[in-house]
Amino acid sequence: MSRSAAIAMVLDPVRAGRGWRVLQLDALLGITITGVVFAFVLAKLVHLTGVAYLVTVGFHYISRWMMLIGWLLFGPRPRIRWSTVAWAFGWPVLWIAYTFVHGALVAWYPYPFLNPDRLGFSTALTNTLLVLVAAGVLMLIRKAVDTWLPVLPLRRSARSGRAPVERI
């Protein structure tokens, strides 16, 4: 997620519209998947010290819990429709397609578990599908929690002072 989108979400967390709902779900999903993949797959491959260790802990552990807790406490809710879940799969699928095409062209993959040159295409694809299934399960859990938790009153926009137009 771009920095400008993150800043826009902080300034106006109840901003309405399908695009913003998708962006919010993708942000929750992205940071969660990043943390889960790091914790279960990548952490044992790196041995960081000093500032690199502190940054890694902040990014892969603390930030995902803070985002989850913030979403649970402050919402906005309800925001996740079935169409939001469907659209939210767009960027992960595009990223995966780009990663495999780009990796084939330049012989570099961002993560070792995605590297078909080392693992074989079927293993790399299986690993990718496992991450997508995990993402799907997490999205469904978020959808259920978004539905079950109490509706939070919409707050006025910090930026404009106006209440959002759309009530979801």
Side-chain angles (χ1 to χ4, degrees), residues 33-49:
I33 287 294
T34 298
V36 169
V37 167
F38 183 81
F40 290 105
V41 179
L42 301 173
K44 59 187 166 203
L45 302 177
V46 295
H47 305 286
L48 304 171
T49 60

Side-chain angles (χ1 to χ4, degrees), residues 79-102:
R79 293 293 263 204
I80 304 171
R81 296 177 177 173
W82 288 113
S83 61
T84 308
V85 171
W87 279 103
F89 264 106
W91 80 260
V93 170
L94 289 173
W95 184 86
I96 289 166
Y98 169 80
T99 298
F100 279 114
V101 170
H102 181 260

Side-chain angles (χ1 to χ4, degrees), residues 8-153:
M9 287 171 59
V10 167
L11 292 176
D12 194 359
V14 294
R15 189 174 189 162
R18 178 184 0 190
W20 286 102
R21 289 190 311 267
V22 170
L23 184 62
Q24 287 172 329
L25 181 58
D26 276 341
L28 282 165
L29 176 68
I31 196 64
T32 304
I33 287 294
T34 298
V36 169
V37 167
F38 183 81
F40 290 105
V41 179
L42 301 173
K44 59 187 166 203
L45 302 177
V46 295
H47 305 286
L48 304 171
T49 60
V51 173
Y53 176 77
L54 293 175
V55 169
T56 295
V57 167
F59 182 70
H60 291 107
Y61 298 105
I62 296 171
S63 65
R64 73 177 157 142
W65 287 109
M66 288 179 66
M67 186 155 185
L68 176 62
I69 292 166
W71 175 70
L72 289 170
L73 293 177
F74 306 112
R77 261 189 307 285
R79 293 293 263 204
I80 304 171
R81 296 177 177 173
W82 288 113
S83 61
T84 308
V85 171
W87 279 103
F89 264 106
W91 80 260
V93 170
L94 289 173
W95 184 86
I96 289 166
Y98 169 80
T99 298
F100 279 114
V101 170
H102 181 260
L105 294 173
V106 301
W108 178 83
Y109 296 86
Y111 301 107
F113 64 91
L114 295 178
N115 189 338
D117 296 338
R118 290 179 138 177
L119 304 172
F121 187 74
S122 64
T123 301
L125 189 58
T126 299
N127 292 342
T128 303
L129 291 174
L130 287 171
V131 172
L132 275 177
V133 167
V137 168
L138 287 170
M139 260 198 244
L140 292 175
I141 291 170
R142 294 262 164 79
K143 167 83 173 93
V145 170
D146 185 65
T147 304
W148 294 334
L149 286 177
V151 173
L152 296 174

